[in-house]
Amino acid sequence: MFIQAIRIVMVNNSAMMLATYASIIGISWMGAKLIVAGQFTTGELTSMFAYATTILMSLMMFTMIFVMLALSMASFERIVEVLETESSIISPVNAVTEVADGSIEFDHVTFGYADADEKRVLTDINLSIKSGEVIGILGGTGSGKTSLIQLLPRMYDAKTGHVRVGDRDVKEYDLDILRKEVAMVLQTNVLFTGTIKENMRWGNKNATKDALLNVGTTRN
């Protein structure tokens, strides 16, 4: 649609410029005859040029609206497509509503954003982290560190294997409960308008001052 819009712009600009210069030539020819006949003055001819040019430029800008509408429709369709897409990641029936502890286990986990086997991001990952344990995961850009972490709150589901939090498969938890209990701080963070306290209360607007001061220390 963008290429089609560009083609319309090219044709439209050429047509409008042709109309503009044709109008100027026509006004000049008619104005000269009228001036010679004494029915027109030079000032009136100059005014006619100004009015005609203003009208034609306005028409050119008006036709650009249709081009912008074509581009806007493409964007609108993409937005509607995203809004109407239903997530395949949902809470199970009789979901677990409490996370026992902070233990994490990756059991033969394989993951990829595409279905093709050659586009796997993670392959046969086995990792066990005890509750309260602190570890570092190192790797270059694109090695899958963020993808690995995003499997914990079920931003994505593993293709094969099991991801467990608190000795339970993450697919067994209520999605809201799981995502409230599993916190992530990625490399690109966004602070919303307001104070630091207001940003910290974004997840729980009724959090007390003591709760804010103890964030990250109440549960390992």
Side-chain angles (χ1 to χ4, degrees):
M1 292 193 71
F2 181 77
I3 293 174
Q4 183 180 0
I6 293 299
R7 289 173 178 169
I8 294 173
V9 170
M10 293 172 62
V11 174
N12 175 71
N13 288 345
S14 300
M16 290 303 299
M17 293 304 295
L18 178 63
T20 300
Y21 290 120
S23 298
I24 292 175
I25 293 173
I27 293 172
S28 299
W29 180 72
M30 288 294 298
K33 291 185 64 176
L34 293 173
I35 289 174
V36 170
Q39 299 176 356
F40 219 49
T41 65
T42 304
E44 290 173 332
L45 179 61
T46 303
S47 299
M48 185 66 70
F49 280 133
Y51 292 142
T53 302
T54 301
I55 292 172
L56 289 169
M57 290 299 105
S58 298
L59 287 174
M60 184 180 294
M61 296 301 296
F62 180 74
T63 56
M64 289 297 295
I65 294 176
F66 296 100
V67 177
M68 297 303 298
L69 283 175
L71 296 176
S72 299
M73 284 303 298
S75 300
F76 176 75
E77 290 173 1
R78 294 296 297 275
I79 292 172
V80 171
E81 181 182 353
V82 172
L83 293 176
E84 292 184 346
T85 300
E86 295 185 2
S87 176
S88 59
I89 300 177
I90 58 176
S91 299
V93 179
N94 299 322
V96 178
T97 58
E98 183 178 354
V99 180
D101 54 53
S103 62
I104 295 171
E105 182 183 1
F106 290 85
D107 182 12
H108 297 283
V109 171
T110 297
F111 171 73
Y113 293 99
D115 292 331
D117 291 340
E118 65 271 13
K119 294 185 178 180
R120 291 177 178 175
V121 178
L122 304 169
T123 303
D124 197 27
I125 300 297
N126 291 283
L127 176 63
S128 179
I129 306 172
K130 298 178 182 179
S131 181
E133 187 177 4
V134 179
I135 70 166
I137 301 175
L138 306 178
T141 301
S143 60
K145 302 184 300 296
T146 301
S147 300
L148 181 73
I149 299 303
Q150 287 183 334
L151 296 179
L152 295 175
R154 290 192 71 193
M155 297 300 180
Y156 302 95
D157 276 339
K159 302 297 182 184
T160 61
H162 300 277
V163 180
R164 299 185 180 93
V165 174
D167 293 326
R168 302 294 292 264
D169 194 304
V170 292
K171 294 180 181 179
E172 299 178 16
Y173 286 107
D174 178 84
L175 203 56
D176 290 336
I177 297 298
L178 177 65
R179 290 179 177 175
K180 285 180 180 179
E181 294 295 328
V182 177
M184 296 189 304
V185 180
L186 303 178
Q187 61 266 36
T188 303
N189 302 304
V190 178
L191 286 178
F192 296 91
T193 302
T195 64
I196 294 177
K197 181 187 294 184
E198 291 170 345
N199 274 269
M200 294 178 71
R201 282 179 171 166
W202 186 65
N204 179 11
K205 63 180 180 180
N206 296 319
T208 63
K209 182 178 180 180
D210 291 338
L212 296 179
L213 293 174
N214 293 324
V215 167
T217 62
T218 56
R219 169 172 292 185
N220 292 319

